[in-house]
Amino acid sequence: MTFKNSVIYQIYPKSFKDSTGDGIGDLRGIIDNIPYIASLGVDYVWFNPFFPSPQRDNGYDISDYCSIDPAMGTMEDFDELVAALESHGIGVMLDMVLNHTSTDHEWFQRALAGEKKYQDYYYIRPPQPDGSLPTNWVSKFGGPAWAPFGETGDYYLHLYDPAQADLDWHNPDVRAEAAKVVNFWRNRGVHGFRFDVINVIGKGSQLLDAPLGTDDRKMYTDGPDVHAYLRELNEASFGQDPDSVTVGEMSSTSIGACVEYTRPENHELSMVFNFHHLKVDYADGRKWTLMEPDILALKRLLNDWSLGLQAGGGWNALFWNNHDQPRALDRFGDADRFRYESATMLAAAIHLMRGTPYVYMGEEIGMSDPGYTTIDDYVDVEARNAFAELVDAGHDEEEAFRIVHSKARDNSRTPMQWDSSAGSGFTDGTPWLQPTNQAEVNVAHEETAGRILPFYKRLISLRKSTPVISEGDYEPYAPDHPDVLAYIRRHEGRRLLVICSFRGHETEIDVPEDFLDGEVFVSNYPARPLRPRLSLSPYETLALLV
Ligand code: GLC
């Protein structure tokens, strides 16, 4: 299984490189920078959607699954991109947003125009007898999950923005359309697919109110039909390709469900993204709050997921960052005082684990959250809604801003910082989202004098050359240590002890005797003699191989 020793690079096309000067990234800009991507040593590039879209949710509201957004390029550009990446041995992973379409999509428009066939593609329901909405579910972007279906008096379901109408996967025609979309891209040479929020496609056949005081996500997440639908999609599309690599984005999921999604015998997906480890700074489970990350909870989650997927024969996708998360460097590290140390420690922590690591563009050069100062600097609908809701709920604007600043998705969507110029080498025009610290953090600097980029390159290549990393068993070490995440990997007589300090102060850890004369395999501080009671510097990471 090739994906075990692979590393996947994520590109947010809108923010990677603009070749036309309109301030928006495009496919040509990516093609021009393939030498950089290849220099990282990665095996696949996952691209966020670049299909036609009214951009209510930055391309996750797709109006045509089988074309390229003209603002991003043409189908010829796409074919060139696939071929050019392939010539470097790099595969393409496309983002399949098949839980919902844009309300501009032809299917929804024909449904609105009265065509029964297409009305059956969506969840269109009358109000309840008392006039209330069909269910009490809330949208993940705020407000109710139902919007009026034209002038009909009925409502359609949107778990996300009102511009994103949920597809009804109970309808076999919808499932056939989904396979058709995947096969369209397979026929253009694509072997990799990321399935957006795929564990919410198996809603009950009857949509019911969540009992009062309970979490409405339970009513539609990881439903019993998801597995059957995934197996069907697998069989009808990517499963016919022995080289396919797939990852499902699983929202509010469980270890048990993810074992089922990824056990090879089940013929569903190669691996899964889950987000529990990125909620350890959510006070009471609520995203729009300020909280220092709970490191013990983080450790427990990483350990439980590694052990759980291992025991069940499943496979995890390993990541700190993506286009929906604030930069991990600001959440778990210290971008001001220890940028190099904390960036490299975070990298080692997941690149040496059991699973397939993902690197989100800019992470490899230590990019951090932008220094925005007002809500007007943000573009994302989720951030703007959250700010308004926080103010409505009584927070003063300054505090509401601080909260949004700490959690907004735009934090990771700022343009790639190629150099120190005003447009950060991303554009000659006005960037759609402003970069702020490109003077200190940029590719040009990292390539000549930086220390984060070389560290990433080494970790990426180690996974290929070192079976204990790609294949080894996982065992937590010092699980109760309050500051340090540590684990041991084992494979055919070799063992790797990985130590990662999550603190900006010194701390200590006991090193098992047999590791004391091991090889220092990975480290982000100068060499020093190993001691049974080892003191660790701020954000130190150390991997010892015996
Ligand atoms: C996923 C995407 C996110 C998008 C949402 C709705 O979580 O990663 O960006 O807003 O799905 O499609």
Side-chain angles (χ1 to χ4, degrees), residues 133-291:
L133 293 172
T135 67
N136 58 1
W137 304 356
V138 291
S139 154
K140 297 186 188 246
F141 294 162
W146 295 93
F149 182 62
E151 306 288 303
T152 61
D154 288 346
Y155 293 86
Y156 68 91
L157 177 69
H158 62 88
L159 291 181
Y160 297 85
D161 189 78
Q164 295 165 302
D166 281 58
L167 286 164
D168 184 349
W169 277 67
H170 296 105
N171 182 343
D173 291 345
V174 166
R175 305 202 296 274
E177 298 273 16
K180 224 166 103 184
V181 171
V182 175
N183 286 330
F184 175 87
W185 295 106
R186 285 183 55 217
N187 288 331
R188 300 201 91 91
V190 176
H191 302 280
F193 297 96
R194 179 244 187 207
F195 292 100
D196 189 61
V197 295
I198 200 67
N199 63 332
V200 302
I201 60 172
K203 299 153 184 102
S205 46
Q206 280 206 305
L207 307 184
L208 300 172
D209 270 345
L212 247 126
T214 66
D215 184 348
D216 62 340
R217 289 175 296 190
K218 294 220 166 35
M219 306 304 291
Y220 56 75
T221 305
D222 289 328
D225 293 333
V226 184
H227 298 287
Y229 295 161
L230 280 175
R231 276 195 285 271
E232 186 180 322
L233 183 65
N234 177 312
E235 199 183 321
S237 62
F238 60 84
Q240 299 164 2
D241 170 7
D243 293 331
S244 72
V245 175
T246 54
V247 56
E249 186 202 23
M250 303 301 173
S251 136
S252 305
T253 191
S254 67
I255 296 175
C258 287
V259 165
E260 296 304 318
Y261 292 132
T262 59
R263 293 172 69 220
E265 308 83 288
N266 287 7
H267 299 287
E268 295 184 28
L269 299 169
S270 315
M271 61 188 122
V272 283
F273 289 121
N274 85 83
F275 298 91
H276 295 286
H277 66 299
L278 297 179
K279 297 184 178 174
V280 297
D281 55 0
Y282 286 17
D284 304 322
R286 287 174 306 125
K287 171 168 175 168
W288 301 105
T289 50
L290 286 174
M291 181 186 158

Side-chain angles (χ1 to χ4, degrees), residues 57 60 97 100 141 160 164 194 196-197 249 323-324 409 413:
D57 184 24
Y60 281 89
V97 187
H100 43 263
F141 294 162
Y160 297 85
Q164 295 165 302
R194 179 244 187 207
D196 189 61
V197 295
E249 186 202 23
H323 63 291
D324 291 330
R409 305 192 296 179
R413 297 177 179 183

Side-chain angles (χ1 to χ4, degrees), residues 300-434:
R300 200 176 330 110
L301 285 161
L302 293 172
N303 285 333
D304 287 354
W305 275 81
S306 288
L307 290 173
L309 287 186
Q310 167 168 288
W315 197 252
N316 210 1
L318 307 169
F319 69 105
W320 290 119
N321 294 291
N322 69 25
H323 63 291
D324 291 330
Q325 299 290 331
R327 293 277 181 183
L329 192 50
D330 290 272
R331 295 170 92 168
F332 302 108
D334 184 336
D336 295 327
R337 293 189 305 148
F338 299 107
R339 185 179 297 267
Y340 158 75
E341 291 79 1
S342 49
T344 50
M345 180 283 287
L346 287 168
I350 61 169
H351 279 257
L352 302 175
M353 270 186 181
R354 180 180 180 280
T356 298
Y358 285 66
V359 178
Y360 178 67
M361 62 177 219
E363 177 186 326
E364 75 279 13
I365 58 167
M367 274 177 65
S368 48
D369 293 344
Y372 290 165
T373 50
T374 103
I375 189 67
D376 297 328
D377 293 332
Y378 293 86
V379 171
D380 186 21
V381 47
E382 189 202 37
R384 290 172 156 272
N385 289 350
F387 182 77
E389 284 183 12
L390 286 164
V391 171
D392 275 354
H395 293 273
D396 64 49
E397 294 209 354
E398 205 173 298
E399 174 162 13
F401 179 78
R402 272 199 292 136
I403 296 174
V404 169
H405 187 68
S406 76
K407 297 281 168 60
R409 305 192 296 179
D410 281 343
N411 281 320
S412 57
R413 297 177 179 183
T414 56
M416 182 70 176
Q417 294 174 188
W418 295 100
D419 60 36
S420 59
S421 65
S424 73
F426 160 71
T427 183
D428 298 332
T430 307
W432 73 277
L433 200 60
Q434 286 295 333

Side-chain angles (χ1 to χ4, degrees), residues 2-3 5-11 16 33-47 84-93 351 356-364 453 456-464:
T2 57
F3 57 84
N5 59 19
S6 293
V7 175
I8 301 179
Y9 190 63
Q10 182 189 352
I11 287 184
F16 193 63
N33 285 286
I34 288 179
Y36 173 74
I37 301 167
S39 77
L40 302 173
V42 296
D43 303 276
Y44 292 88
V45 180
W46 154 28
F47 294 101
L85 283 170
E86 195 165 293
S87 73
H88 285 95
I90 301 172
V92 166
M93 178 179 265
H351 279 257
T356 298
Y358 285 66
V359 178
Y360 178 67
M361 62 177 219
E363 177 186 326
E364 75 279 13
L453 185 60
Y456 265 87
K457 288 184 183 172
R458 175 163 156 78
L459 286 175
I460 293 166
S461 79
L462 281 179
R463 176 160 286 263
K464 280 190 190 44

Side-chain angles (χ1 to χ4, degrees), residues 51-53 61-68 102 104-106 185:
F51 314 108
S53 156
D61 46 331
I62 296 175
S63 55
D64 179 357
Y65 288 109
C66 300
S67 306
I68 304 295
S102 162
D104 281 9
H105 194 286
E106 188 193 342
W185 295 106

